[in-house]
Amino acid sequence: MVSATRVTIGGLADRLGLSKASVSYALNGQPGVSDDTRRRVLDLAEELGWHPSSSARALSRARSDAIGIVLRRDPGLLGTEPYYMSLLAGVEAELAESGQSLLLRMVGTSNGQDLAAYRRWSAERRVDGVMLFDIVVGDPRPALLDELGLAFVLHGNDESTAPGRVLLYDAFGDARVLVDHLHALGHRRILHIQGPQEFEHEQERAAAIARFAAEHGMQAASEPSDYSMEAGERIAAAHAGDPGLTAIVTSNDLLALGAQAALSRRGRDDIALVSWDDSLICRLGSHPLTALARFPEEQGRRATRMLLDELSGVETATRTARPSELIVRSTSVRAQPA
């Protein structure tokens, strides 16, 4: 058998008695050859273990075969966030099945670095499209990407942000599940430890919790944080001395873990604790955390498929995230009688 490293389009053409152009058309799925010829070319290519170089394929189609993600997060904190690690795992899994690559940049929280990255990628033709997460209020990225001509898909709760290009999740539905659960346990006052208020989804979560709590005759207050375990511990400790507080909802699992540590030190085992994200850390320890399973790996897959479909001009079958499910564990304690 001829070594795959020595097989070229010219070599395939010689073996089959075809022109190089015909072989190229057949390998790249282009018109210009019969079905029988295409089958002969593909069969021989498979037999010889031949694959086109990614650079040659990209040049022939003016494509990079890569998508980009720029995250405006503290790199040190991101590495500890199970949600994003699972999300990126889903992105990578979908790209691997499609023969695409991921270009990931973490630019920290300084303003403008993410926009500069998109401009550079566009000028250098480094990516075919990008995926957007953590949409901020008045987010400038969709308009910039339209201006640059870069395809994109974003993960959010508002279709009007970029019609047809949003993987929609139901923040209000999630909030209703959490508040209904706490109300059923008899709780009267909720503290919501949220993430940074600049994020649209955090504002939506706070508004939704307040709305559904009011419908049940409950009280709710929200306090912003940076998603870290330290912030959860600090905020919960500051409120643990309030005898009227009966439940805490945190916007991610790290905040919940920190809050749990603070409540444990104060002996407040009467306060229910629920996380908006589920992960392995919610299941560990002597008191596993009740949490909302949001299936981030599948979210990553679905958002990636949406982008790849857009780049291929294919209609996407699914534009919504999988509905969340509440996983009830030991921190779903019943409220003490008033």
Side-chain angles (χ1 to χ4, degrees):
M1 177 175 176
V2 178
S3 169
T5 59
R6 292 163 50 197
V7 177
T8 64
I9 286 180
L12 292 172
D14 289 342
R15 282 170 172 261
L16 294 167
L18 299 171
S19 68
K20 291 182 182 179
S22 294
V23 172
S24 178
Y25 293 155
L27 291 171
N28 290 290
Q30 296 177 345
V33 294
S34 68
D35 290 342
D36 179 64
T37 296
R38 191 184 309 279
R39 184 71 268 155
R40 288 173 59 209
V41 172
L42 294 176
D43 285 347
L44 182 59
E46 182 177 1
E47 177 187 338
L48 299 178
W50 180 88
H51 300 284
S53 71
S54 60
S55 58
R57 186 172 65 245
L59 284 171
S60 68
R61 296 181 299 166
R63 292 272 295 270
S64 67
D65 282 341
I67 70 164
I69 296 177
V70 179
L71 294 177
R72 252 188 73 206
R73 289 290 190 95
D74 178 347
L77 181 59
L78 182 68
T80 66
E81 279 199 87
Y83 175 84
Y84 263 108
M85 294 301 98
S86 294
L87 185 79
L88 293 174
V91 172
E92 285 279 22
E94 190 68 28
L95 289 176
E97 292 179 5
S98 306
Q100 309 281 315
S101 300
L102 173 64
L103 185 57
L104 176 65
R105 283 288 311 279
M106 288 178 284
V107 297
T109 56
S110 299
N111 289 331
Q113 290 191 61
D114 52 346
L115 304 182
Y118 296 129
R119 291 190 179 97
R120 184 163 54 254
W121 283 353
S122 175
E124 297 174 354
R125 297 185 179 180
R126 297 287 300 279
V127 298
D128 298 321
V130 298
M131 301 170 65
L132 305 182
F133 302 97
D134 288 338
I135 307 305
V136 300
V137 177
D139 202 310
R141 292 177 295 173
L144 172 65
L145 294 172
D146 278 335
E147 178 187 328
L148 296 173
L150 267 179
F152 70 90
V153 164
L154 64 86
H155 187 255
N157 194 50
D158 185 358
E159 172 70 14
S160 67
T161 305
R165 293 179 287 182
V166 182
L167 178 70
L168 288 166
Y169 67 92
D170 189 0
F172 276 77
D174 287 350
R176 182 185 289 279
V177 168
L178 296 175
V179 174
D180 285 354
H181 174 66
L182 293 173
H183 177 258
L185 292 172
H187 291 283
R188 302 170 299 280
R189 280 182 53 194
I190 300 173
L191 170 65
H192 171 209
I193 304 178
Q194 61 181 135
Q197 288 182 310
E198 65 175 337
F199 294 145
E200 278 190 352
H201 68 269
E202 288 298 345
Q203 294 194 9
E204 292 159 356
R205 289 177 177 185
I209 285 180
R211 169 184 165 183
F212 297 127
E215 289 181 2
H216 285 303
M218 304 164 69
Q219 297 179 4
S222 294
E223 189 165 331
S225 75
D226 62 4
Y227 290 128
S228 69
M229 180 176 171
E230 292 75 16
E233 189 169 4
R234 171 178 51 79
I235 294 171
H239 292 269
D242 181 354
L245 179 64
T246 66
I248 294 177
V249 173
T250 67
S251 271
N252 79 347
D253 42 4
L254 293 177
L255 290 169
L257 198 62
Q260 185 177 46
L263 295 177
S264 178
R265 282 200 309 272
R266 296 294 297 268
R268 292 300 306 269
D269 57 2
D270 59 319
I271 294 180
L273 180 59
V274 181
S275 168
W276 214 298
D277 284 336
D278 188 27
S279 71
L280 178 62
I281 64 175
C282 292
R283 305 163 213 167
L284 302 177
S286 57
H287 297 288
L289 292 157
T290 292
L292 200 62
R294 297 174 55 220
F295 312 106
E297 185 169 346
E298 187 163 341
Q299 289 179 12
R301 275 186 168 273
R302 291 190 182 190
T304 305
R305 176 42 50 196
M306 280 183 62
L307 181 55
L308 295 177
D309 284 347
E310 179 175 340
L311 290 169
S312 300
V314 176
E315 183 66 25
T316 295
T318 303
R319 296 183 180 274
T320 57
R322 177 178 171 181
S324 304
E325 297 178 11
L326 185 67
I327 310 299
V328 179
R329 301 190 179 100
S330 64
T331 57
S332 286
V333 298
R334 290 194 168 276
Q336 300 297 314

